[in-house]
Amino acid sequence: MREILGRRRKPLFRRSGRSALLGAALHCATEWQWPVLPGVGLRPAGRPSGGARLGLGERAARRCSCPDPDCAVPGAHPFDPGLLAATTDARMVRWWWANRPDAPIVLATGGRAPCAVSLPAVAGARALAALDHFGVRTGPVVATPTRWSLLVSPYGLPELGELLHSQDWVPSSLRFHGEGGYLVLPPSPTGAGKVRWERPPAATPAAPWLPKVATIVDALVMASTGTPDGGSRLAY
């Protein structure tokens, strides 16, 4: 009995490395019906454009594979294929990650897929603590070293506009990932670090339960107020 009670819940995706990315992408697409596509990814270490070698600082912050040398979200965005290619088709997902096994997993938000609200990591921790204190149920939370993203049920621009209009002030550090947007999912590698679950979905075949954005937006705005946002160039 002690052995049974002492067992920890199995992680959502137990595979490691490249197989974990394919497994996670397939799970999102086929089990949860979340449309995904491969992100642009990062350049291999030591292979910058022009043949120059990377210094120690540059190795720590690997460059994006896209043509923009100053990409604000290295590795963590769609490029080729574009966002409209996102799919739940298992054959397409397998083909993509067979050809690009290290590609980040990008979720196309909105429509029938989850939306999200992201904010700096410090503010995210404050917001979750406040929501827990008041007994507000939250869904999965995606985290990088710099930002946390709370997944919510799909919302439209009119609903979001009304919610934000009722606020005295909305910090620029808050980002809203709705229709036509995207979010990078665990266990993707990005220039800001590996993406992980701060609060993982339940390890069940059913799609995760998601709260409405209206139930959490007040806490996110309050937690973000006064939190340094690092300027406009925020890494995911």
Side-chain angles (χ1 to χ4, degrees):
M1 178 64 71
R2 289 181 180 177
E3 291 181 356
I4 294 175
L5 293 175
R7 289 175 185 169
R8 294 181 178 180
R9 187 178 65 178
K10 294 181 179 180
L12 190 59
F13 309 117
R14 297 193 64 180
R15 300 172 183 174
S16 61
R18 296 178 173 183
S19 61
L21 288 166
L22 172 59
L26 282 171
H27 192 93
C28 292
T30 61
E31 299 293 336
W32 297 343
Q33 293 297 295
W34 291 2
V36 297
L37 74 158
V40 64
L42 301 169
R43 292 176 185 164
R47 296 183 184 178
S49 61
R53 296 185 63 83
L54 288 173
L56 291 177
E58 290 176 305
R59 289 188 188 127
R62 292 170 64 187
R63 302 284 292 277
C64 188
S65 292
C66 76
D68 183 1
D70 299 316
C71 181
V73 286
H77 64 90
F79 180 66
D80 184 15
L83 187 61
L84 292 179
T87 184
T88 58
D89 182 79
R91 294 171 298 177
M92 194 73 243
V93 171
R94 289 185 184 277
W95 186 86
W96 275 332
W97 270 270
N99 288 276
R100 297 175 54 198
D102 296 321
I105 303 166
V106 174
L107 167 70
T109 55
R112 295 184 179 181
C115 292
V117 184
S118 67
L119 65 170
V122 172
R126 292 176 180 171
L128 286 185
L131 291 167
D132 290 344
H133 176 75
F134 289 105
V136 179
R137 183 182 178 188
T138 58
V141 178
V142 174
T144 72
T146 56
R147 290 184 72 78
W148 288 11
S149 302
L150 283 73
L151 271 62
V152 296
S153 59
Y155 58 74
L157 287 179
E159 177 188 2
L160 180 63
E162 290 184 9
L163 290 172
L164 298 184
H165 182 71
S166 65
Q167 301 289 333
D168 292 332
W169 180 67
V170 179
S172 62
S173 58
L174 278 178
R175 301 293 173 87
F176 298 90
H177 309 258
E179 183 74 31
Y182 64 89
L183 186 72
V184 178
L185 297 177
S188 300
T190 72
K194 190 173 183 178
V195 183
R196 62 179 178 83
W197 293 110
E198 173 63 26
R199 291 196 175 176
T204 62
W209 177 87
L210 301 170
K212 292 185 177 181
V213 67
T215 64
I216 67 169
V217 70
D218 287 348
L220 302 188
V221 170
M222 290 183 64
S224 298
T225 301
T227 301
D229 62 9
S232 61
R233 293 173 56 78
L234 295 173
Y236 283 98

